Amino acid sequence: MSSQPADAQAARVEDEAACIRLCVDFANHLDARRHDAVPELFTEDGVLDRMGAVFAGRDGLAQFLAARPADAVTRHLCTNIRVHFDAGDPDAATGSCYVLFFRGAPEQGGARALGPPSVVEYHDRYQRTPRGWRIRERLIRMAMQA
């Protein structure tokens, strides 16, 4: 049994849910091509490191999103999401998840898969801001490739 009061436990569960939502929203926004929504998931100085290519701040995130092929169809399936809170800073957390990544080409009635899926890992640092929890840093690393 936890030594935290019930209201502190409830707040921590809400914090964890907010961080998990950021993880999933990132994937869903990319797949739906809601590029305007992606930078809102990050802190103002947020960093996205995709396989060593680093995009920092709003301008960097805009550059990353603009470089995505206009005709690509993607699906990111997030799983094994874990969030850990920093004992010394109640406004900081880290997280990780596995992402099954599918890429396809548009076709009548859907999309055609372009090869088997890959598995990447997201390694995140989250920060509580006046606007709520945001991604401060996301590292995307290849875990398995077909």
Side-chain angles (χ1 to χ4, degrees):
M1 183 151 206
S2 175
S3 62
Q4 290 182 327
D7 56 343
Q9 288 178 13
R12 184 54 76 201
V13 168
E14 289 176 13
D15 291 343
E16 182 178 22
C19 293
I20 291 170
R21 199 167 28 256
L22 288 168
C23 185
V24 173
D25 283 351
F26 177 85
N28 288 344
H29 291 329
L30 285 181
D31 293 342
R33 305 196 68 77
R34 290 188 296 266
H35 292 170
D36 293 357
V38 172
E40 296 303 315
L41 303 174
F42 286 78
T43 60
E44 291 291 326
D45 60 349
V47 173
L48 174 67
D49 177 337
R50 183 181 177 273
M51 318 290 185
V54 178
F55 305 91
R58 302 290 176 175
D59 291 340
L61 290 169
Q63 179 187 4
F64 161 73
L65 295 163
R68 295 188 77 226
D71 63 343
V73 176
T74 60
R75 291 298 179 265
H76 297 77
L77 306 179
C78 301
T79 185
N80 295 49
I81 303 172
R82 301 289 299 172
V83 177
H84 304 279
F85 293 94
D86 186 333
D89 183 353
D91 297 328
T94 60
S96 63
C97 79
Y98 301 147
V99 181
L100 190 59
F101 172 71
F102 295 84
R103 205 168 62 87
E107 281 191 353
Q108 179 92 14
R112 177 179 38 85
L114 298 175
S118 297
V119 178
V120 298
E121 295 177 0
Y122 292 165
H123 298 275
D124 296 330
R125 290 171 56 203
Y126 300 107
Q127 185 71 45
R128 187 193 320 263
T129 73
R131 297 179 343 191
W133 286 93
R134 296 291 184 263
I135 301 168
R136 190 162 122 203
E137 180 182 52
R138 166 158 283 174
L139 305 177
I140 302 175
R141 296 295 184 257
M142 183 61 66
M144 289 183 202
Q145 206 169 14

